Amino acid sequence: MSGLYDDQLLDELLRGTQSLVGEWGLSDQTEVRLLTISENMTCLAYDPTQDKQLILRVHRPGYHTREEIQSELLWINDLRQQEIVDTPKPIATQAGTAIASFSTNNEIRDVVAFSFMSGKEPSTDSELINGFQQLGSISAKLHNHSQNWVRPVTFVRKTWNFDTMLGASPLWGDWRAAAGLTDSGRQTIEEACLIIRHQLEAYGMGDRRFGLVHADLRLANLLVDGNRLGVIDFDDCGLSWFMYDFAAAISFIEDDPLVASLQSAWIQGYRDHRPLSAVDEAMFPTFILLRRVLLTAWLASHSETPTAQELGTEFTAVTVNMAAQYISSHQ
């Protein structure tokens, strides 16, 4: 993927985003400020003349096509219409288009807008257990909708299976490029990946197990406000195993002592709305490690992001330890 998020590029992207605010009816006094950098750049646009604020997401080029972005927004709109989940509303431009764009460094940057949603990211303490029961319920409702929704013929999203995650052409890069990975660590993860592949092939991709999922329900994409648990950022939604959504939910905290309790709470909430078999439950360790190795690959291919710089080589070391434990559990 092109374009590292250095300071110069960030300044250019902010200026480009600023130039588009009129597309959504915001005045030239609108302030655009950076919120986060991950796959994309997310900004808050505030217009003091209207006391109005929008979230603007600036897409990284070379990842999603316009058709994929439009498909994400179609799913969000249907989820909102059916009141499946609390999530921000996609905001069309005044011309009625879903996507605006600007050009910088000879690259087109697609930009989409969402309504502002209040709340804060859940904290990793004992209160998170109750939140995960609620998240399990939300996940089940999402999966029920996914299984029953007749997708438009124009709908297209990426497929998250073993090959696109950890195979020959991984969407998020090669985990073998991870910071601090030793030869022995690489061999350990390679061995674990062989087991993961075998487990996934045996589990299968039937329509009760595999479908359209959020695919990134991590804490950073949840907003708590009182009793409401909001879900944001469907940017990675695609076709994958339903149980993968739990693994994504514990991204970056897989080794936290709370995980066993979080898993139990999530399963309890899930079963309130959708069946979950013992076979499904037995696959959790496989999906957790699948996601962990995928994140290791993402950090390697997105080394300029604050997340990658903060986690460094320690994240790789924990991934290797998790892989070794996974191998031991399958001997």
Side-chain angles (χ1 to χ4, degrees):
M1 289 173 222
S2 56
L4 297 179
Y5 286 117
D6 57 28
D7 290 342
Q8 180 180 346
L9 180 59
L10 283 175
D11 287 342
E12 292 171 0
L13 294 179
L14 285 170
R15 286 196 297 271
T17 306
Q18 184 82 49
S19 73
L20 290 180
V21 297
E23 297 277 349
W24 292 281
L26 302 178
S27 76
D28 57 8
Q29 295 185 44
T30 298
E31 175 191 2
V32 176
R33 65 179 179 87
L34 177 67
L35 290 180
T36 61
I37 307 167
S38 183
E39 191 68 52
N40 307 309
M41 184 179 82
T42 305
C43 302
L44 175 67
Y46 176 68
D47 182 357
T49 68
Q50 304 178 60
D51 192 24
K52 180 179 179 181
Q53 54 189 351
L54 293 177
I55 299 298
L56 303 181
R57 187 176 69 195
V58 184
H59 282 261
R60 193 168 188 153
Y63 186 49
H64 287 314
T65 65
R66 282 199 153 204
E67 291 75 18
E68 287 175 324
I69 298 170
Q70 289 166 342
S71 296
E72 172 204 351
L73 302 181
L74 282 172
W75 190 30
I76 293 173
N77 281 325
D78 203 79
L79 289 169
R80 285 178 50 83
Q81 182 179 355
Q82 302 300 323
E83 298 183 345
I84 303 297
V85 63
D86 287 315
T87 191
K89 178 183 178 180
I91 306 297
T93 67
Q94 291 191 307
T97 61
I99 305 171
S101 64
F102 65 88
S103 178
T104 184
N105 293 334
N106 297 316
E107 292 181 323
I108 300 296
R109 296 279 176 162
D110 290 325
V111 183
V112 294
F114 297 91
S115 59
F116 176 82
M117 176 174 272
S118 62
K120 61 180 181 179
E121 178 181 334
S123 57
T124 53
D125 55 28
S126 58
E127 288 297 315
L128 191 59
I129 296 173
N130 291 332
F132 259 65
Q133 183 171 346
Q134 189 177 2
L135 182 59
S137 297
I138 291 170
S139 299
K141 293 175 184 178
L142 284 170
H143 299 165
N144 284 334
H145 179 276
S146 167
Q147 192 169 16
N148 295 317
W149 185 42
V150 179
R151 296 193 289 272
V153 294
T154 57
F155 190 91
V156 56
R157 292 295 297 179
K158 290 178 169 55
T159 297
W160 297 102
N161 56 27
F162 183 88
D163 286 334
T164 58
M165 291 181 181
L166 307 182
S169 301
L171 292 170
W172 279 1
D174 190 350
W175 58 262
R176 296 166 187 82
L181 185 64
T182 63
D183 287 342
S184 62
R186 180 185 57 77
Q187 292 170 5
T188 298
I189 296 177
E190 290 276 15
E191 184 178 347
C193 285
L194 291 175
I195 300 172
I196 291 173
R197 180 189 285 274
H198 174 76
Q199 292 291 314
L200 293 175
E201 289 173 350
Y203 184 60
M205 297 166 61
D207 62 4
R208 290 293 303 177
R209 296 177 175 178
F210 195 96
L212 183 60
V213 300
H214 183 283
D216 198 21
L217 287 170
R218 59 196 176 100
L219 300 186
N221 289 333
L222 305 176
L223 289 175
V224 177
D225 190 349
N227 294 324
R228 189 217 68 205
L229 181 61
V231 174
I232 63 173
D233 196 1
F234 282 70
D235 182 58
D236 288 315
C237 72
L239 299 172
S240 193
W241 292 275
F242 291 126
M243 293 303 99
Y244 176 71
D245 265 346
F246 172 77
I250 60 167
S251 294
F252 304 112
I253 61 168
E254 299 91 345
D255 58 332
D256 193 291
L258 274 178
V259 165
S261 297
L262 297 179
Q263 179 175 315
S264 297
W266 190 92
I267 289 172
Q268 181 179 345
Y270 194 92
R271 284 182 170 145
D272 286 341
H273 299 276
R274 181 178 170 87
L276 190 153
S277 70
V279 175
D280 297 326
E281 191 172 344
M283 286 295 294
F284 275 56
T286 293
F287 287 118
I288 290 170
L289 187 60
L290 172 69
R291 173 69 173 187
R292 178 75 186 203
V293 179
L294 178 66
L295 290 176
T296 304
W298 189 91
L299 294 173
S301 61
H302 295 68
S303 58
E304 83 282 5
T305 62
T307 303
Q309 294 174 15
E310 176 185 348
L311 294 176
T313 59
E314 179 61 24
F315 191 86
T316 303
V318 174
T319 302
V320 172
N321 289 338
M322 289 178 61
Q325 293 168 11
Y326 181 77
I327 293 167
S328 297
S329 69
H330 285 84
Q331 289 177 341

